[in-house]
Amino acid sequence: MYCPVEKELIINATPTEVEIALLENGRLVELHYQKTNSNFSVGDVFLGQVRRLMPGLNAAFVDIGHKKDAFLHYTDLGPKLRSLLKYTAGVTSGSITSFKLDNFKIEPEIVKTGKVDQVLDKRNPILVQILKEPISTKGPRLSCEVTIPGRYLVLTPFNDVVAVSKKIANAEERKRLQNLVESIRPKNFGVIVRTAAEGKKTADLHEELSMMMSKWEDIYQQMYKATPPAKLLSELDKTSSILRDLLTDSFNRIVVNDKELFQNIKNYLSSISPEQTKILSLHKGNRPIFETFSIDRQIKSSFGKTATMSSGAYIVIESTEALHVVDVNSGHKMSNAAAEDSVLKVNVEAAEEIARQLRLRDIGGIIIIDFIDMKNPDHKKELHSKMRSFMDKDRAQHTVLPLSKFGLMQITRQRVRPEVKINTAEVCPTCNGSGKINASVLLMEDIQRDLSFVLQSRHKGGLKLVVHPYVEAYIKRGLPSMQMKWFMEHFRWIKVASSSELALTHYKFYDEHNDEIRLN
């Protein structure tokens, strides 16, 4: 029986950044960060200038205003490069005076196996789009195949092809969309029809196409007689771009904690999907939004080196410069009976968690998974099938290979921005990172000394001592207990309570108003 997935988008805005969490059935599956002063984003369009040609790499380095020159490989030039260079040169010189391509003559395509120094010249102005954000010591990676994405369509200049998403399975619907878009697309512009366009009316698609053409006009106006480097078009902010790419009828809730951002998202939703404005709400509670939805707890439990599953099995994730390695361990709870079936069950559970972790951490490149050994070929095929189905929810391009004869599975996953790394380790509150604490046998002496001091300085009013639960049990045990001895010694009853947030050797005193009594 099919169970619909509950999707929620929780957005935490701070003065310096916006954090976006995507939950599926209450589980954190994606986490995005956007600094409010971020200058570079995947999808931004620039007028750049070729700085260096590197025939050995078959690539060029392009100045787009970043501290490191951006990297442009021959395979990212696109077959329509000559048309793009001709248009760029014409607009920057002022000889092309329209953003429309009706009278523009498309140039012959470049060959796939060519060399970069045969098609590019140093100092050439060139229209480029960011393919990957700067990662580590590398500058941005560029593409000359400029695309303008919308919710239903993607516009591709210097092209004449209409392509329909393969995820639209109905042949009649595919044909309808193909003919519809073919009839409304401008000359010398190609269009990719996205999955979200399924069932949409002509008016919806025509409206979006007009909006994308206005963006192309903006690019033209910014580029007209411009000098490189120059930013021509900014991609939507992270929140809006995620809404554009992710938002479907299956979304149940969007919650945001900032009034200004709430209004911006409401306006954006009104323009792309008015019926879904009702799922947007403003978080008004006193508790932080990520704490309210248990996202902080999930981040702490998900970003360590080890991730444990409900069965007791766990995975260990290690990263190197070249690849990421995931080791699957059964833990101590795996049943000995029906060992083969138990191993398959643990491996499938691990596969689901690994697919979640790849999305959550945005891990890209080559991933090697060492599953628990299985001898049954049918079980190996089933695991491969399950892994592919778990990865289907992943928007990043990926390939999942079957298990090798050594029991290893290889996955390649597209990487367009730096991996999300969160250090969940905390400095020990007891030793402050030194690795040493005061002798625990002296704890009761310390408490009694401080208790005597507090009682001498406060002759009236109630007093409460808060300690670790283990220490509370020690103080209250026996006849007479430590608590009773204090009463007989000081003729005042000391209330003792516990807090699991306190370290074993930490304690606090509170007065009758529940205000902490500072001892320092």
Side-chain angles (χ1 to χ4, degrees), residues 269-286:
L269 284 176
S270 299
S271 66
I272 66 162
S273 184
E275 69 280 2
Q276 287 192 289
T277 53
K278 63 180 181 291
I279 67 173
L280 177 66
S281 62
L282 180 65
H283 176 70
K284 295 179 180 177
N286 293 325

Side-chain angles (χ1 to χ4, degrees), residues 132-401:
K132 291 184 180 180
E133 290 179 12
I135 295 173
S136 185
T137 57
K138 301 173 185 175
R141 182 160 181 170
L142 305 176
S143 170
C144 287
E145 294 187 271
V146 176
T147 59
I148 301 174
R151 191 179 179 210
Y152 308 125
L153 307 171
V154 178
L155 190 68
T156 57
F158 315 112
N159 217 322
D160 59 359
V161 176
V162 175
V164 182
S165 168
K166 292 177 182 176
K167 291 184 179 179
I168 300 177
N170 187 303
E172 288 183 13
E173 179 63 8
R174 290 175 64 86
K175 188 70 177 172
R176 181 188 79 87
L177 289 168
Q178 179 95 27
N179 293 336
L180 193 161
V181 173
E182 193 69 62
S183 67
I184 62 173
R185 75 174 177 88
K187 187 179 178 184
N188 290 329
F189 284 90
V191 177
I192 299 167
V193 182
R194 304 181 77 168
T195 313
E198 189 170 7
K200 296 300 172 186
K201 297 175 184 176
T202 308
D204 296 328
L205 302 184
H206 192 274
E207 184 184 352
E208 184 166 271
L209 196 58
S210 300
M211 180 198 69
M212 291 190 290
M213 282 301 293
S214 69
K215 285 189 177 181
W216 176 252
E217 185 179 6
D218 289 343
I219 290 174
Y220 162 79
Q221 289 174 347
Q222 295 277 342
M223 188 165 55
Y224 187 68
K225 293 187 178 179
T227 304
K231 182 185 274 195
L232 307 178
L233 181 73
S234 253
E235 173 60 296
L236 293 166
D237 62 80
K238 182 68 73 69
T239 310
S240 299
S241 64
I242 287 174
L243 284 174
R244 181 195 66 203
D245 295 341
L246 281 181
L247 193 64
T248 62
D249 296 338
S250 64
F251 255 86
N252 304 86
R253 182 159 57 164
I254 301 170
V255 189
V256 61
N257 67 338
D258 180 80
K259 285 183 181 178
E260 186 179 344
L261 189 56
F262 169 82
Q263 196 58 50
N264 291 344
I265 294 172
K266 189 174 182 180
N267 295 340
Y268 180 71
L269 284 176
S270 299
S271 66
I272 66 162
S273 184
E275 69 280 2
Q276 287 192 289
T277 53
K278 63 180 181 291
I279 67 173
L280 177 66
S281 62
L282 180 65
H283 176 70
K284 295 179 180 177
N286 293 325
R287 293 170 66 199
I289 187 170
F290 270 19
E291 188 180 322
T292 302
F293 289 91
S294 299
I295 293 167
D296 281 338
R297 184 184 58 78
Q298 292 196 56
I299 289 172
K300 291 286 186 183
S301 64
S302 299
F303 276 91
K305 179 180 169 182
T306 303
T308 305
M309 293 159 282
S310 56
S311 68
Y314 61 95
I315 59 174
V316 180
I317 303 171
E318 296 274 9
S319 298
T320 70
E321 192 70 26
L323 49 81
H324 305 270
V325 181
V326 184
D327 185 33
V328 178
N329 294 283
S330 61
H332 61 279
K333 293 184 180 178
M334 196 170 86
S335 147
N336 291 325
E340 277 288 311
D341 291 335
S342 296
V343 167
L344 175 63
K345 187 177 177 183
V346 169
N347 279 341
V348 168
E349 185 186 21
E352 184 174 13
E353 179 62 21
I354 290 165
R356 183 180 82 100
Q357 289 283 345
L358 297 186
R359 287 175 71 188
L360 185 55
R361 301 179 188 224
D362 207 3
I363 293 175
I366 299 171
I367 300 110
I368 306 292
I369 306 168
D370 183 11
F371 284 106
I372 301 169
D373 287 341
M374 295 187 298
K375 293 180 178 147
N376 189 325
D378 292 335
H379 285 181
K380 291 181 179 181
K381 287 180 183 174
E382 185 178 344
L383 178 60
H384 178 234
S385 173
K386 290 281 188 184
M387 190 76 211
R388 290 181 63 178
S389 68
F390 294 141
M391 292 291 291
D392 279 345
K393 299 174 188 173
D394 197 336
R395 290 178 297 131
Q397 292 181 12
H398 59 268
T399 304
V400 182
L401 298 183

Side-chain angles (χ1 to χ4, degrees), residues 458 463-464 502 507-520:
R458 290 175 169 267
L463 186 65
K464 181 171 72 172
L502 285 177
Y507 53 91
K508 293 179 180 179
F509 290 99
Y510 292 86
D511 63 18
E512 67 273 18
H513 304 297
N514 214 31
D515 292 328
E516 185 181 349
I517 300 168
R518 302 283 179 180
L519 296 172
N520 294 332

Side-chain angles (χ1 to χ4, degrees), residues 456-467:
Q456 285 171 14
S457 58
R458 290 175 169 267
H459 300 294
K460 294 181 181 179
L463 186 65
K464 181 171 72 172
L465 169 66
V466 180
V467 292

